[in-house]
Amino acid sequence: MRSLDRRTFLTGSAAAAAGLLLFAGFESPAHADEVLTGYPGSIPLRRARFENWDGAIVADQLWTAVPRNATDVVALVNWAHSAGYTIRPQGHRHTWSPLTVAPGTAGNKKVLLVDTTSKLTAMSMADAETVRVQAGASMEKLLRFIESNGRSLTAAPAPGDVTVGGVLAVGGHGTAIPSLDELGKPGTIWGSMSNLVSSLTAVVWDAKSGSYVERTFDRTDTDCAAFLTHLGRAFITEVTLKTVPAYMLRCQNFTNIPISELFAKPDKVTNRSLSKLIDASGRVGVIWYAFTDKPWVQVWTRSANKPFTSRRTLGPFNYLFADNLPTPVPQLLGNLVEGHAEVAPAFNAAVALATSTGLDVTFARDMWGPASHFLHFVKPTTLRVTAGSHVIVTRRSEVQAVVHEFTSHYTAMLDDYRRRGMFPINSGVEIRVTGVDSAMEYGPNADAPALSAATAVPGHPEWDTAIWLDTLTLPDTPHQSEFYRELERTYFVEFPAERGVVRAEWAKRWGHTNDGAWLDTDTLRTRIPASYPKWDSAVETLARWDPHRIFTTELLDQLMP
């Protein structure tokens, strides 16, 4: 993992003034016939630098193909099979875990990145309720397209610069469960994005022809469940997704609820405690800056008519202050980057104040508009932090207890590290709550996404809720790996089995040792597989459709040998 210096953080244009990170993939044209024997020369090829969201995964000058259509993808996969290469779909690289490539992958390694974002972006309405979209389309453009057709999604990841294929590969999600007023109403899917897929098209091995071909899997196909969240162990070219009628949301932002009330013990809840906010609105997100006592709480409520006090929105990304944080935030951020970890409490206090002030001066405390204006609120210029995240699938009635226990444990750990002069966490915690993934909307022969972190647990229909707990810090912060390792083992591993199931959030950091993430072999080989009821069958299905392991990485080879 590379170190980030102050110049990397603080140079640039407006983002530099806010102390934000901007990364770009440096590219150079390539002549395939000079190096790649037999490469289908009509398909554009270049050398490109790969860098992920937090800058921790960097691979310089990898061969990167730019297919013009799905036929090109099939040609690339078959060339890779004959040439001994692996194929890695590449979207906007808004990820943390090395599911695309490993850090430091050499340019001479037999890996071909396939950029899906240039041409594989078509979308159309398959019918009145379903959208057909290629894997390289961005979520932002997808939401705008379906909104223009009178449709929307119940929830979606906060960034707009993520591809549909990338989101589905890791079981991406937003934050939403039914409010008490919405309980029992049919037609809405409350889990991850993967559970919206009604059919998908993948490039798979065909034994009869002795080649890779495109094949479409309907949701009722026995093998479809393994592809719905495939972690990059497959190449999906197109999907059809279920949508819902377009709707309006009221977005309220609070920075005055103390953690003692928001994360209160279940027997001490008030109307401003997390579980009560969820009961009232169903859609709640929490951003809690470390060492502060009043989180930023976002509450989205369905509202057909604009409330009198709400400001109407004109588009998505309504938190302008998040990209223009005022003094002293950039200076404190610079101190953190230079190694002054002890300024973390002051940094977070400054960010919390800037958030509260920003909400006021931009009139963003109370807004109203189409759902798509609020589903996306993280821009590429937002401060880039690393993220360790786990998911607890449990009863809805356990939400308040689980969050109280987690936040209490996390606070005690922060205090313990601070007493020892260490500040491994200098950003904060994000909390989101969704439903679980099931196939109820698809009929008796369908199945839930087998490898989605939100997939339902057979035999436990009462475990109907997924709580996503995301701990954030700047990349390469001293002692972060020790903190993440301890948090995993003292809270998530010890979570009582009778209360629910704990899983890793695929796109983030997990499986920590003191040396870093994704290194704990016990987690990779035992704990993760044990948390999925259909792990073995899903791994076998993906291997059967890709017996030559064209779609794999070092991490996937450990996780799915």
Side-chain angles (χ1 to χ4, degrees), residues 54 101 150 153 155 168 253 310 354 371 427 455 531 541 545 558:
D54 65 359
V101 294
L153 301 178
L168 298 177
N253 295 271
S310 299
S427 184
T455 198
S531 68
T541 297
W545 290 108
Q558 295 181 63

mmCIF file of all heavy atoms in Angstrom, residues 54 101 150 153 155 168 253 310 354 371 427 455 531 541 545 558:
data_model
loop_
_atom_site.group_PDB
_atom_site.id
_atom_site.type_symbol
_atom_site.label_atom_id
_atom_site.label_comp_id
_atom_site.label_asym_id
_atom_site.label_seq_id
_atom_site.Cartn_x
_atom_site.Cartn_y
_atom_site.Cartn_z
ATOM 1 N N ASP A 54 -9.813 5.068 -2.822
ATOM 2 C CA ASP A 54 -9.006 5.654 -1.752
ATOM 3 C C ASP A 54 -7.516 5.686 -2.072
ATOM 4 O O ASP A 54 -6.705 6.103 -1.253
ATOM 5 C CB ASP A 54 -9.244 4.936 -0.421
ATOM 6 C CG ASP A 54 -8.786 3.489 -0.425
ATOM 7 O OD1 ASP A 54 -8.299 3.015 -1.470
ATOM 8 O OD2 ASP A 54 -8.913 2.820 0.623
ATOM 9 N N VAL A 101 -8.172 -5.779 -9.351
ATOM 10 C CA VAL A 101 -6.764 -6.167 -9.428
ATOM 11 C C VAL A 101 -6.149 -6.014 -8.038
ATOM 12 O O VAL A 101 -6.661 -5.271 -7.197
ATOM 13 C CB VAL A 101 -5.959 -5.326 -10.441
ATOM 14 C CG1 VAL A 101 -6.424 -5.584 -11.859
ATOM 15 C CG2 VAL A 101 -6.043 -3.836 -10.111
ATOM 16 N N GLY A 150 -40.808 7.994 -15.845
ATOM 17 C CA GLY A 150 -41.766 7.901 -14.758
ATOM 18 C C GLY A 150 -41.482 6.815 -13.742
ATOM 19 O O GLY A 150 -42.388 6.375 -13.036
ATOM 20 N N LEU A 153 -36.023 4.067 -8.218
ATOM 21 C CA LEU A 153 -35.581 2.952 -7.390
ATOM 22 C C LEU A 153 -35.902 3.260 -5.939
ATOM 23 O O LEU A 153 -35.977 4.425 -5.534
ATOM 24 C CB LEU A 153 -34.071 2.714 -7.548
ATOM 25 C CG LEU A 153 -33.558 2.402 -8.950
ATOM 26 C CD1 LEU A 153 -32.040 2.243 -8.930
ATOM 27 C CD2 LEU A 153 -34.218 1.139 -9.510
ATOM 28 N N ALA A 155 -33.937 2.421 -3.387
ATOM 29 C CA ALA A 155 -32.681 2.842 -2.777
ATOM 30 C C ALA A 155 -31.557 2.563 -3.761
ATOM 31 O O ALA A 155 -31.697 1.749 -4.678
ATOM 32 C CB ALA A 155 -32.435 2.102 -1.460
ATOM 33 N N LEU A 168 -23.717 -4.252 -8.891
ATOM 34 C CA LEU A 168 -24.289 -5.590 -8.776
ATOM 35 C C LEU A 168 -23.235 -6.618 -8.376
ATOM 36 O O LEU A 168 -23.533 -7.558 -7.636
ATOM 37 C CB LEU A 168 -24.942 -5.988 -10.097
ATOM 38 C CG LEU A 168 -26.117 -5.110 -10.541
ATOM 39 C CD1 LEU A 168 -26.627 -5.553 -11.896
ATOM 40 C CD2 LEU A 168 -27.250 -5.141 -9.517
ATOM 41 N N ASN A 253 -32.300 17.122 7.467
ATOM 42 C CA ASN A 253 -30.947 16.909 7.951
ATOM 43 C C ASN A 253 -30.808 17.483 9.355
ATOM 44 O O ASN A 253 -31.040 18.677 9.573
ATOM 45 C CB ASN A 253 -29.946 17.577 7.016
ATOM 46 C CG ASN A 253 -29.930 16.947 5.635
ATOM 47 O OD1 ASN A 253 -29.192 16.011 5.384
ATOM 48 N ND2 ASN A 253 -30.756 17.463 4.727
ATOM 49 N N SER A 310 -40.017 23.175 3.246
ATOM 50 C CA SER A 310 -38.980 22.519 2.455
ATOM 51 C C SER A 310 -38.586 23.350 1.234
ATOM 52 O O SER A 310 -39.426 24.026 0.623
ATOM 53 C CB SER A 310 -39.466 21.148 1.973
ATOM 54 O OG SER A 310 -39.765 20.304 3.067
ATOM 55 N N ALA A 354 -18.495 22.514 10.099
ATOM 56 C CA ALA A 354 -18.660 22.908 8.697
ATOM 57 C C ALA A 354 -19.916 22.287 8.099
ATOM 58 O O ALA A 354 -20.613 22.913 7.295
ATOM 59 C CB ALA A 354 -17.430 22.494 7.900
ATOM 60 N N ALA A 371 -37.141 11.474 -5.933
ATOM 61 C CA ALA A 371 -36.282 10.572 -5.176
ATOM 62 C C ALA A 371 -34.855 10.551 -5.703
ATOM 63 O O ALA A 371 -33.884 10.485 -4.936
ATOM 64 C CB ALA A 371 -36.869 9.161 -5.192
ATOM 65 N N SER A 427 -11.984 9.800 10.600
ATOM 66 C CA SER A 427 -13.142 10.244 9.823
ATOM 67 C C SER A 427 -14.417 9.951 10.611
ATOM 68 O O SER A 427 -14.962 10.846 11.225
ATOM 69 C CB SER A 427 -13.180 9.575 8.452
ATOM 70 O OG SER A 427 -14.251 10.093 7.688
ATOM 71 N N THR A 455 -28.369 -11.167 1.807
ATOM 72 C CA THR A 455 -29.255 -12.275 1.466
ATOM 73 C C THR A 455 -29.902 -12.847 2.720
ATOM 74 O O THR A 455 -29.295 -12.903 3.801
ATOM 75 C CB THR A 455 -28.489 -13.376 0.698
ATOM 76 O OG1 THR A 455 -29.431 -14.212 0.023
ATOM 77 C CG2 THR A 455 -27.614 -14.216 1.604
ATOM 78 N N SER A 531 -20.965 -17.877 6.685
ATOM 79 C CA SER A 531 -22.052 -16.907 6.859
ATOM 80 C C SER A 531 -23.046 -16.910 5.708
ATOM 81 O O SER A 531 -24.044 -16.193 5.751
ATOM 82 C CB SER A 531 -21.471 -15.501 7.043
ATOM 83 O OG SER A 531 -20.851 -15.038 5.851
ATOM 84 N N THR A 541 -21.100 -23.059 -8.985
ATOM 85 C CA THR A 541 -21.794 -22.575 -10.183
ATOM 86 C C THR A 541 -20.905 -21.619 -10.975
ATOM 87 O O THR A 541 -20.770 -21.745 -12.205
ATOM 88 C CB THR A 541 -23.099 -21.869 -9.790
ATOM 89 O OG1 THR A 541 -23.978 -22.813 -9.168
ATOM 90 C CG2 THR A 541 -23.788 -21.276 -11.011
ATOM 91 N N TRP A 545 -19.284 -22.304 -14.891
ATOM 92 C CA TRP A 545 -19.465 -21.450 -16.054
ATOM 93 C C TRP A 545 -18.172 -20.733 -16.461
ATOM 94 O O TRP A 545 -18.123 -20.101 -17.507
ATOM 95 C CB TRP A 545 -20.578 -20.432 -15.797
ATOM 96 C CG TRP A 545 -21.943 -21.055 -15.755
ATOM 97 C CD1 TRP A 545 -22.743 -21.257 -14.664
ATOM 98 C CD2 TRP A 545 -22.665 -21.577 -16.870
ATOM 99 N NE1 TRP A 545 -23.909 -21.858 -15.021
ATOM 100 C CE2 TRP A 545 -23.906 -22.075 -16.377
ATOM 101 C CE3 TRP A 545 -22.403 -21.691 -18.235
ATOM 102 C CZ2 TRP A 545 -24.861 -22.657 -17.193
ATOM 103 C CZ3 TRP A 545 -23.354 -22.275 -19.054
ATOM 104 C CH2 TRP A 545 -24.572 -22.744 -18.535
ATOM 105 N N GLN A 558 -8.116 -16.968 -3.335
ATOM 106 C CA GLN A 558 -8.096 -17.380 -1.932
ATOM 107 C C GLN A 558 -9.503 -17.602 -1.390
ATOM 108 O O GLN A 558 -9.756 -18.558 -0.656
ATOM 109 C CB GLN A 558 -7.405 -16.305 -1.083
ATOM 110 C CG GLN A 558 -5.947 -16.092 -1.391
ATOM 111 C CD GLN A 558 -5.350 -15.030 -0.486
ATOM 112 O OE1 GLN A 558 -5.299 -15.195 0.735
ATOM 113 N NE2 GLN A 558 -4.923 -13.930 -1.086
#
